[in-house]
Amino acid sequence: MSNSEISQSILDTLDKLRQLVQVDVQENWYYLDQDLSIKDIKLEKAKPVQLNDKRYIIWSSGRQVQWLIQKIKFSSSLKEYPLIHLTARLVLTWWAEDAKIYINGKLVQEGDLFDSTTRRLLTTDVIPQREIIIALRLVSPGHDIGALMRSVLIFEKPDFIDPAFVADELTVLYNYLQAFEPEKLDILANTLNQISWNIVSDQEKFNQNLLEIREQLQPLASSIKKRQFHLLGHAHLDLAWLWPIQETWEVAQKTFNSVLKLQKYFSELKFGQSSPVLYEWIENNRFELFTQIQEAYKAKSWELLGGMWVEPEVNLISGESLIRQLLYGQNYFKEKFGTITKVAWLPDTFGFPWQLPQIFKQAGIEYFVTGKLHWNDTTKFPHGVFWWKSPDGTQLLSLMSPPNVAGVMDTNPIIMMNYAISWEQQTGLKDAFWLPGVGDHGGGPTRDMLEVQQRWQNSPFFPQISFTTAQEYLDNLPQENLPVWNDELYLEFHRGCYTTHGDQKYYNRYCEKLLYQAELWSSLASIHLELPYPKTALTDAWKKVLLNQFHDILPGTSIPKVFEDANREWCKVIETGEAILDISLQFIASRIILPIPPHSEAIPIIIFNSLNWTRSEVVSIIMNSLVNWDIYDVELNQVYSQITSENKLLFLAKDIPSVGYRLFWLSPTERVKPEIKTTSEFILENDYIKVIINHESGDLESIFDKVQQKEILNGAGNQLQAFQDKDQYWDAWNIAPNYQDFPLQPSKLKSIEYLDYGLIQSRIRVIRIIGNSEFIQDYILRINSSILQIKTTVNWQEENILVKVAFPLKLESDVVTYEIACGAIERLTCPQTEAEKAKWEVYGHRWIDLTDVNQNYGVSLLNDCKYGFDCQMNQIRLTLLRGTKWPDINADKRIHSFTYAIYPHSGNWQEAKTVHRGYELNIPLKVIFQKQFNNTCLSPVSSWLNIGSDSLILIALKQFENDVTKWIMRCYESEGKIAYLDIASEIGLTLSSPVNLLEEDIVLDELTVKPWQIVSYKIQK
């Protein structure tokens, strides 16, 4: 016989064995599509089901109720094999938002989309002719059809063997031999030929025959027993998704209670859970349960995982947000459990930025675990265990956990063994990790999972099984000769998450930069002027931000109620942050010694700079009175200013010091109304660039660099491009891969007009229409700047439409550089491999840049709250909006406001200081009016902090978490070069000792910062 014939013979025999104790009952259901109570469910009123070609029972979407009823009558035998006194179970798999199982009218089990399978016990003692009525009440998802996919009646002998159990054992053996010892398959086949099918009607004799077969085959399985499964009970708990956060608190409580109860019966069970925010809620609301968890942790049956406050979306949040996730999470674990976790745990997050190894390592993390890359839609991630290397050189041991794409990972032995085989083939490791439990909506391991595990633990044909912790498993992994992954971990899926629910992206970016400023100035005011530091308020605000960064909130992939709750929390953060910032700046301003004013009625204004370099930028002051004003500097030099069409006073605030301020004067004057330009040509021009707007389309016709005498555009710029984007099951998550094949009509120009025309600022407004949506865009060019800002307001009302803005360039490059958390990454514009081609939509933070090295010239695209991009070798494109309908039917139907900007420059992005320009767009200079001055002690111009090298970016200045007398300053190197920390401060701040991200003392090379390195130092006065 050929190998294929031998294999088929084996599989046929094993299938024949299963048929003795398993029967498909899928077609035996009857249905009622009325939503009746269980007491009104009558089999005689129901109609026979019709199966589709997959043998599924399906019904319509939209939370439609389907009752399925079936009478099970036990026979005395199946295929002549006696069933009397066996245990009977009904195996079901469904796709339903809500599932209820009734046996003889009694509710016995509930489930949902994630708790979607069961091995429901019917009886432990099969009696022939006994009848059982099964009724299922299934509710289809709102977004998808409902389905019952599998119904199998099985008969078992749990304390002994039965034909199906033996068939599964030998399937495990067959799969192992086929993978590693195929030459022994004929032995298996020949031994199976010894099964005495003629005595199948005698259960005892037939079982004895199977025992003899097993005994003969056990030597073939000797190598299998040298393998081992390491199990950790787990319940992935999505804090919010198709349910609000409030529901998750209760789900967590039920899950944890279930685990602790099971541990009383299964003493070997170990369970791991991430997300300190869950523990904090349990502590505050279910304290008795919390103390039981603490005791389980002490008994080493409970493992703390993750270290981050929640399991966040990590691509889109800032470096400081990543740090705070770990700072607050690890500190909570240490305070409540006496230790931190060493295992970063992100099983369901949608890709991972390149700097994570460094950030994790600095927060006490030694290992990183995820399984999400199993979801890739194009390539299989090549490694199971590997060193993940960040751009600064930090390496972190990383593990791809077993695949879980259905929310449930049970102890099905064949699935487990198939995984162990593929794991060994990939890594060469004979020890495999497994995470039994129901997830997404909680649940954890079930009694049946544990009973199945115990049964197979005693099988001679299955690897050894033991419960462990993730850290124990990782500690014992070999660390030599592992592959190194020196790149981001890009998920080839869920690319729409960079854009969906633009309000969440806006709030996140705004709150991140607001809390940076609030902490910065409240810290400085406390250090220098003894203003009380609002630590509790800042911590509470940060924790609200961290919660809303959860991986189904910030990506925009939850139901409407989740976003209603999230937006309330965002608004609380904004209220708190703006109040703290305003109080701090007002307090500082009130201590400034006023110089001689230019006029007796002059009003002092103070311009604050929250960034760590000197800036000269146009500032805007809203004028609420009928009085006109001139601007004077502290030397009483008049500063040229301009009144806009919206009655805002603009002037160029020069040389605002690093983390400092400069005083100016508002002096009353007479002024003529601003000039409104009327022309058929629409041109913006200053000393650096000249911009021409097409009066028929509203697109950019030209951006001309006057200094370099170079045209930037190679076609219509700022072109709004709309595409059909539909037919994706994961609607909010995924952009249709073929969206570019379905372009829609170009936008229609509604109007174009000058709003401002002056030396300080010129502004042209274009209004364009796409479908039922209106785009209002102001092209803004200011003095002293080569940056063209495009301030945008959109009333978005589209469905299943994707809108991008494109800038074709007279430049070419094989790479585009994208800002990421505390760094930057190059991605190819002409991909060659399948993995490179899969990056057809990627994320970036404040800026991206395409530089033509041959021309020594580039263009940066800046933004204040957008994240999705795609680029070609001569075009950069920003994704603006999507029109998804599930899980939130009105996800982005609202008013959106955002700004992006084009920054043409000589040299590369480092030479052009693109990093600075991105921060400046996001954190503009702050104008403070101060009418009361007392206890004055401050000069009218001052730099309170300068950290030296211009490639160092300050990202935090805050009070120590556990010591109110100490302060922390954190920065990172942003341009990939060695930098030197050289602090200068007019208020006497000096550096003390370096600390890690958990604010623990460490040793660093003195004041030298490596390329892309994040450093934190104590500061003192």
Side-chain angles (χ1 to χ4, degrees), residues 690-978:
K690 178 179 180 180
V691 178
I692 301 174
I693 294 99
N694 187 297
H695 68 278
E696 293 181 347
S697 66
D699 295 338
L700 293 173
E701 195 170 286
S702 170
I703 301 177
F704 186 75
D705 185 330
K706 295 169 64 175
V707 176
Q708 298 297 321
Q709 290 294 295
K710 179 184 289 291
E711 173 60 45
I712 309 306
L713 296 178
N714 190 33
N718 195 45
Q719 185 179 77
L720 299 177
Q721 299 177 346
F723 303 88
Q724 180 178 290
D725 175 25
K726 65 178 185 178
D727 298 330
Q728 292 298 293
Y729 174 77
W730 296 100
D731 187 19
W733 294 258
N734 289 352
I735 296 173
N738 62 343
Y739 75 90
Q740 298 205 76
D741 296 336
F742 300 95
L744 302 178
Q745 291 294 314
S747 62
K748 297 179 180 178
L749 182 65
K750 181 178 179 180
S751 64
I752 181 170
E753 61 178 330
Y754 273 94
L755 295 184
D756 302 320
Y757 184 72
L759 179 63
I760 302 298
Q761 172 178 290
S762 292
R763 179 168 56 137
I764 294 172
R765 172 167 292 176
V766 298
I767 301 178
R768 295 186 277 185
I769 305 297
I770 292 178
N772 296 312
S773 301
E774 183 178 76
F775 286 69
I776 302 173
Q777 295 198 299
D778 291 352
Y779 292 109
I780 301 170
L781 185 62
R782 290 174 167 170
I783 190 173
N784 199 45
S785 175
S786 58
I787 296 175
L788 174 66
Q789 291 191 25
I790 304 170
K791 187 175 182 179
T792 305
T793 300
V794 185
N795 182 1
W796 182 247
Q797 298 298 324
E798 306 311 301
E799 296 180 351
N800 302 128
I801 290 178
L802 170 74
V803 172
K804 289 177 170 281
V805 61
F807 295 89
L809 305 173
K810 285 193 171 180
L811 304 168
E812 290 188 357
S813 177
D814 293 335
V815 299
V816 169
T817 306
Y818 300 75
E819 186 187 44
I820 60 174
C822 291
I825 189 169
E826 290 185 347
R827 300 186 180 109
L828 298 176
T829 58
C830 299
Q832 301 299 314
T833 68
E834 290 302 307
E836 292 166 354
K837 292 175 183 177
K839 294 185 179 184
W840 47 263
E841 179 84 2
V842 295
Y843 77 92
H845 285 199
R846 300 170 192 84
W847 58 268
I848 67 170
D849 181 86
L850 188 153
T851 293
D852 187 325
V853 294
N854 294 321
Q855 298 186 48
N856 194 32
Y857 196 92
V859 171
S860 299
L861 176 57
L862 319 175
N863 78 86
D864 69 352
C865 64
K866 294 296 174 185
Y867 294 91
F869 300 87
D870 75 292
C871 298
Q872 300 171 18
M873 66 185 305
N874 58 359
Q875 176 179 270
I876 53 180
R877 201 158 62 164
L878 172 65
T879 308
L880 300 181
L881 291 162
R882 300 186 67 215
T884 63
K885 299 172 65 177
W886 183 76
D888 185 351
I889 194 169
N890 294 313
D892 275 305
K893 287 186 178 180
R894 59 174 54 86
I895 303 295
H896 298 260
S897 295
F898 49 87
T899 298
Y900 53 94
I902 286 292
Y903 172 39
H905 58 79
S906 296
N908 59 32
W909 60 268
Q910 292 99 327
E911 295 165 331
K913 295 301 167 191
T914 290
V915 176
H916 287 194
R917 303 296 89 82
Y919 273 95
E920 289 164 359
L921 180 69
N922 281 267
I923 303 179
L925 297 171
K926 188 80 173 175
V927 180
I928 292 295
F929 287 84
Q930 181 63 39
K931 296 182 179 180
Q932 293 184 346
F933 293 82
N934 46 55
N935 300 320
T936 54
C937 57
L938 304 177
S939 66
V941 181
S942 186
S943 174
W944 284 19
L945 181 64
N946 190 305
I947 58 177
S949 299
D950 59 7
S951 69
L952 295 177
I953 305 296
L954 179 70
I955 57 173
L957 199 157
K958 62 179 287 291
Q959 193 180 79
F960 248 64
E961 289 301 303
N962 301 313
D963 188 339
V964 298
T965 67
K966 296 178 181 178
W967 303 87
I968 289 285
M969 183 207 76
R970 183 163 27 255
C971 63
Y972 73 96
E973 199 291 311
S974 66
E975 294 179 0
K977 62 185 182 183
I978 293 175

Side-chain angles (χ1 to χ4, degrees), residues 351-541:
F352 309 93
W354 197 8
Q355 279 281 40
L356 265 185
Q358 178 185 182
I359 293 171
F360 280 147
K361 207 69 178 285
Q362 285 202 38
I365 296 293
E366 294 184 7
Y367 307 110
F368 170 59
V369 179
T370 185
K372 196 61 181 182
L373 298 191
H374 291 297
W375 289 59
N376 277 2
D377 62 12
T378 305
T379 69
K380 179 180 179 180
F381 186 74
H383 308 307
V385 183
F386 58 99
W387 291 106
W388 185 16
K389 185 176 182 179
S390 61
D392 77 308
T394 302
Q395 293 192 151
L396 188 69
L397 189 64
S398 300
L399 172 76
M400 283 296 129
S401 58
N404 181 7
V405 297
V408 179
M409 190 179 294
D410 60 20
T411 48
N412 182 302
I414 296 175
I415 292 174
M416 290 177 68
M417 192 61 192
N418 288 344
Y419 168 71
I421 290 169
S422 65
W423 172 255
E424 185 172 345
Q425 288 172 329
Q426 182 186 42
T427 66
L429 299 176
K430 294 177 172 59
D431 286 35
F433 195 42
W434 195 254
L435 299 166
V438 178
D440 286 332
H441 205 206
T446 66
R447 175 177 289 274
D448 183 62
M449 291 178 190
L450 298 174
E451 289 174 346
V452 170
Q453 169 264 325
Q454 285 186 334
R455 189 181 190 193
W456 280 88
Q457 189 173 359
N458 298 319
S459 170
F461 296 92
F462 200 72
Q464 299 176 60
I465 304 175
S466 63
F467 275 91
T468 187
T469 64
Q471 183 175 332
E472 288 169 349
Y473 177 76
L474 291 159
D475 282 344
N476 290 306
L477 287 177
Q479 299 188 8
E480 302 295 327
N481 301 316
L482 293 177
V484 176
W485 187 263
N486 189 19
D487 197 356
E488 65 184 331
L489 292 174
Y490 177 85
L491 176 65
E492 297 168 3
F493 208 47
H494 293 353
R495 301 170 183 89
C497 292
Y498 313 143
T499 303
T500 304
H501 248 293
D503 58 332
Q504 301 306 301
K505 278 67 172 177
Y506 168 83
Y507 279 130
N508 180 70
R509 182 82 65 87
Y510 186 84
C511 289
E512 286 177 333
K513 62 193 181 186
L514 174 62
L515 291 183
Y516 160 75
Q517 295 174 87
E519 277 188 337
L520 171 69
W521 292 109
S522 62
S523 296
L524 292 170
S526 179
I527 294 169
H528 188 52
L529 302 173
E530 299 184 351
L531 178 69
Y533 184 73
K535 182 177 180 179
T536 299
L538 284 167
T539 299
D540 289 346

